[in-house]
Structure formats: C-alpha cells, structure tokens
Amino acid sequence: MEFQPSGIDCLPMRIIALFNQKGGVGKTTSAVNLGAALADEKRRVVLIDMDPQGNLSFHLGLEPGKIHHSSYQVLTQGISLKEALHPIGEFLSVVPATSDLAGAEVELVDQPQRELRLRDALQRDPIDADFIIIDCPPSLGLLTLNSLCLADEVIIPLQAHFLALQGMARLLETCSLVRQRLNRKLKISAILFCQYEAAPRLTGEVTEEVEKFIEAARGTNQPWSDARVLQTRIRRNIKLAEAPSFSQSILLYAPNSAGAADYSVLAQEILEMK
Ligand code: ADP
Ligand code: MG
C-alpha cells in the first residue's frame, strides 16, 4: 500500500511501543485509539500487532480470513513490514497478528539475531509513515524483545490501583537491558494512566509514587530518566470496551464519548512531545 503525502513538514518517524507485561492495562485500547486519533490529525500511522491474541487486529476488523500477511510471517519468513500492511483508512494501516505468532518464539530459538527480526524487516524495506505504534504482548519474551529493538520510545500504560507498580521493576530492567545490549536509542518516554478514576485516594498515591520514581532518575543514564507522566488520563469509559465488537476505533464508534475526547487530547500531547 502507498500512503498519500501527509502534507506535514517532514519530521522523523516516531516508533512507539506500548509495553507493560501485565495484561488488561490498556495497551491494545491505547494503540488502536491513539493510532486512530493521530491518523485523524493526518499523521500516517502504522500499527503493529505483536500479541498472538490478535486483539488489535480484531478491534480494527481484521479477522483471520481477511489477513494476507501477518507479523508472524515478518518474524519467521522474512516478509517486510511493508508487505504485511493492511489499510484501514487513508492514514491508518495495520500489520496484523494471527495465533500462529505464539509459535514464533520456539521456531526462532536457534536463529541468530532473532531479537532483531522486526527491525531488519523495516530496515530492508522502509515504510513512509509518521508513527509506528507497536502493541506488545503481555510477556517479556522474544515478541516483546523484537518490539523493543524496533522502538525508539516506550509508553507504559498503567492502571492507578494498588497492584499497578507490581512488575514495574522487571519491566524497567528489561528496557535497561535492551538499551545496553541491543538498542541504544530506546527510552521510556511516558507513563499513561488508563481506566482512570479521579475519585479514589489511592489513585493520587499511585500517581505521586510514579512521579517521585521518575524524578529520582533525572540526569541518570536510565532509559526512564527523561520520562514524563502524561497529563492526559484516559478515563474509564464503557464505550472504549464496546468499540472492538463494532470493529471501530472510539473516534468512529462513539465520537462524542469521554473515551474519544481523551484519546484526541492524548494525540495532541504526543504530538507536542519532543
Ligand atoms: P491490554 O492490551 O493491556 O491487555 P486492553 O487494552 O485490551 O489491555 O484492555 C483490557 C480491557 O479493558 C479490554 O476489555 C478493554 O476494552 C477495556 N478497557 C481498556 N481501557 C478502558 C477504559 N479506559 N475504560 C473502559 N474499559 C477499558
Ligand atoms: Mg492487548
């Protein structure tokens, strides 16, 4: 598929991984709806589904019968990302996932540089886009490593409840190791609170704890030393949970909902980030 020129001054492409090994935090919902909101702003967006559950692909109406090439073939058969693009709208396209992606880890076990398959696939055959957004699986295995080796930026979706920070140490350690050994560019650019409820006191405590943690790393060489807690909070909104069943982003399914408003504001904040 060929993209139309976006008409926007040529900025370098941003490659963002939505990463948290915990399931159910809002990675897929944010990949789809942030992607759709950026595409609404006429940015050319490619979403890559790296979760064998294929939730992102399903959310945008790409069921197995409609998928010609997937991220599985990119990883295991040397297909380029460009060849696996499925157009969703004028500015949005998807590299979908199918369930066979679950086997990629085992199939690649004795392959050299197996963490770099995704990156190689882009370098061999570059894509002309403003954003690539990668929906990571809820694990720390090879699929996540491939995602983190392609990305320049990680955004961590978090839910502000008392287990939110559980697992954070391993998440951060994974990013540190990838940065040291595989991808010097990698940085954690932001924390995004999802399914946010303003009322409970706990929300404030978790938010404060995250902010303190980031402040403590300023000026260090940690990948999160420049991270920010995004001002935009994605509120809990039932329309966001309904949209996948209608194969639509929140902007199409419920344009007047709180969910659509939050992801549109988030897109602006992401565009303003340096
Ligand atoms: P992950 O990809 O991290 O596993 P999902 O994005 O799939 O998480 O979200 C988990 C579930 O929560 C899904 O059913 C999704 O529809 C729902 N969900 C995500 N964000 C919200 C929100 N802000 N409000 C209501 N439901 C949400
Ligand atoms: Mg998901």
Side-chain angles (χ1 to χ4, degrees):
M1 163 199 176
E2 289 301 322
F3 276 115
Q4 300 299 314
S6 70
I8 286 163
D9 293 341
C10 243
L11 293 168
M13 177 163 66
R14 284 171 67 182
I15 309 182
I16 302 174
L18 290 165
F19 170 43
N20 186 335
Q21 78 273 29
K22 203 182 278 204
V25 293
K27 292 182 289 295
T28 301
T29 305
S30 297
V32 167
N33 294 308
L34 171 61
L38 288 167
D40 233 39
E41 294 293 327
K42 303 201 176 340
R43 265 52 172 201
R44 300 157 305 169
V45 179
V46 170
L47 300 174
I48 305 181
D49 192 348
M50 285 296 282
D51 187 345
Q53 292 178 70
N55 292 345
L56 179 141
S57 310
F58 174 82
H59 193 149
L60 289 169
L62 290 171
E63 290 142 28
K66 297 183 185 161
I67 294 174
H68 56 83
H69 289 319
S70 68
S71 50
Y72 169 75
Q73 284 149 311
V74 173
L75 290 180
T76 63
Q77 293 166 20
I79 303 258
S80 74
L81 282 170
K82 204 187 242 177
E83 288 171 291
L85 286 180
H86 292 61
I88 298 292
E90 189 183 353
F91 291 96
L92 185 65
S93 62
V94 177
V95 175
T98 48
S99 57
D100 46 11
L101 185 59
E105 192 143 359
V106 174
E107 283 181 49
L108 291 173
V109 75
D110 55 357
Q111 297 294 311
Q113 300 214 298
R114 56 188 178 278
E115 304 85 3
L116 303 180
R117 290 286 172 127
L118 209 50
R119 184 156 95 194
D120 290 346
L122 181 65
Q123 278 172 355
R124 264 201 324 277
D125 192 6
I127 292 176
D128 201 10
D130 299 306
F131 286 89
I132 294 181
I133 300 177
I134 311 164
D135 185 22
C136 293
S139 68
L140 295 171
L142 187 64
L143 299 176
T144 290
L145 285 181
N146 265 278
S147 308
L148 296 181
C149 287
L150 178 67
D152 313 314
E153 290 177 49
V154 170
I155 295 180
I156 304 173
L158 272 189
Q159 256 175 293
H161 61 47
F162 72 104
L163 289 176
L165 300 177
Q166 192 196 46
M168 272 292 264
R170 288 198 65 203
L171 187 166
L172 297 172
E173 191 189 343
T174 304
C175 291
S176 281
L177 284 173
V178 170
R179 182 174 152 110
Q180 279 166 35
R181 306 209 180 138
L182 295 161
N183 180 8
R184 303 290 316 162
K185 291 179 308 182
L186 188 71
K187 61 171 191 174
I188 298 175
S189 61
I191 311 283
L192 172 64
F193 281 109
C194 291
Q195 308 189 38
Y196 197 78
E197 285 164 300
R201 194 167 52 98
L202 192 61
T203 298
E205 283 170 18
V206 173
T207 316
E208 242 174 63
E209 204 174 325
V210 170
E211 272 162 0
K212 261 197 238 155
F213 178 82
I214 290 174
E215 279 310 316
R218 295 272 181 252
T220 70
N221 192 30
Q222 297 292 5
W224 55 93
S225 63
D226 288 329
R228 65 167 83 182
V229 176
L230 290 162
Q231 296 286 309
T232 312
R233 312 267 145 107
I234 308 300
R235 289 165 284 177
R236 188 179 287 285
N237 178 227
I238 186 70
K239 297 287 181 199
L240 285 167
E242 291 169 5
S245 310
F246 295 87
S247 306
Q248 286 176 334
S249 76
I250 193 67
L251 300 184
L252 288 178
Y253 172 64
N256 298 320
S257 63
D262 291 348
Y263 278 106
S264 298
V265 175
L266 176 65
Q268 292 303 331
E269 191 175 1
I270 297 291
L271 286 171
E272 282 159 21
M273 270 167 71
K274 283 274 175 314

